[in-house]
Amino acid sequence: AAQQRIDFKFITTDESQEIYADREKIEIILFNLLANAFKFTPSGGRIELKVICGRGKVHILVEDTGAGVADELKETLFDKFARNVQPMQAGFGIGLFLSKKLAELHRGTLTFNNKETGGAVFTLSLLAGKEHWADRLIYEDINSKSIFLEELLEEVAFTKKNTPTTEQISTIADSIIENKPSMMIIDD
């Protein structure tokens, strides 16, 4: 946010409700929505992550002051490989498709609206409580740490330190190449 000069705010009410969900899958949804908001919000813009509880649901909103969703994409935005094509914007068009499917697997919804003032609002709505999971076995793992969040925190800590030397960059690159699984994507 600071690098792009974007005003980022997290807003929540005092009210809280428990949700039963796969933490990593919800993080994937939120990461995708926030990444898109940062991708399509210009420098000097604003992004808000809001959590609103009420009426047996938890609504998580990602609002931005970007360009919004083009009219011709509104019907297909959540389709596989749909892309909001803009110059210099990379992407495969699978993030929103995956996010919507993950929301539905959680018996929730993922919707969007363009704001009259510009930008878009994406809303992830999840049922509170666990009654809607009566037909499923629930594994409560409240105390485990989020691997995804830990990785992001490590990245932030690294970027706040002094600029790495060429040797440090080489060591990090070697570590990534040697210790991580690889995937090759071929586009022909």
Side-chain angles (χ1 to χ4, degrees):
Q3 280 181 334
Q4 291 180 249
R5 294 185 347 199
I6 291 176
D7 180 23
F8 177 75
K9 294 198 181 330
F10 174 74
I11 301 167
T12 186
T13 60
D14 290 335
E15 184 182 352
S16 67
Q17 288 186 318
E18 255 185 358
I19 61 170
Y20 284 77
D22 182 325
R23 179 191 344 232
E24 288 182 5
K25 302 305 184 271
I26 299 302
E27 287 176 355
I28 289 170
I29 296 169
L30 294 178
F31 180 80
N32 182 60
L33 295 178
L34 287 168
N36 284 345
F38 278 99
K39 185 189 305 185
F40 294 108
T41 299
S43 181
R46 186 180 70 253
I47 297 173
E48 294 179 350
L49 175 63
K50 298 179 182 179
V51 179
I52 302 168
C53 301
R55 296 186 180 164
K57 289 188 177 184
V58 175
H59 304 282
I60 304 169
L61 292 77
V62 177
E63 282 189 43
D64 66 53
T65 57
V69 178
D71 288 338
E72 62 269 14
L73 292 173
K74 288 182 178 179
E75 296 297 318
T76 60
L77 187 65
F78 293 108
D79 291 353
K80 196 183 308 184
F81 306 121
R83 294 181 59 218
N84 189 1
V85 180
Q86 291 187 4
M88 305 302 290
Q89 298 294 343
F92 295 102
I94 198 145
L96 289 175
F97 169 78
L98 176 64
S99 295
K100 185 168 181 77
K101 292 299 178 192
L102 291 174
E104 291 169 352
L105 287 171
H106 280 84
R107 299 182 180 163
T109 60
L110 179 60
T111 59
F112 80 94
N113 289 302
N114 280 334
K115 300 187 320 186
E116 289 182 21
T117 57
V121 180
F122 283 81
T123 305
L124 171 63
S125 298
L126 300 168
L127 294 170
K130 60 181 175 181
E131 293 75 30
H132 57 285
W133 295 116
D135 61 334
R136 301 277 192 234
L137 176 64
I138 296 175
Y139 174 68
E140 295 186 41
D141 188 17
I142 303 169
N143 297 322
S144 71
K145 291 184 180 179
S146 162
I147 296 169
F148 191 66
L149 186 57
E150 289 293 319
E151 287 177 4
L152 286 175
L153 291 174
E154 286 175 13
E155 184 177 315
V156 169
F158 179 75
T159 58
K160 288 188 176 185
K161 293 180 182 178
N162 294 329
T163 305
T165 65
T166 306
E167 184 178 306
Q168 289 171 322
I169 291 172
S170 177
T171 303
I172 292 168
D174 289 343
S175 172
I176 290 170
I177 292 167
E178 293 172 6
N179 300 327
K180 301 287 182 187
S182 299
M183 177 171 57
M184 182 184 299
I185 299 174
I186 300 172
D187 182 18
D188 51 11

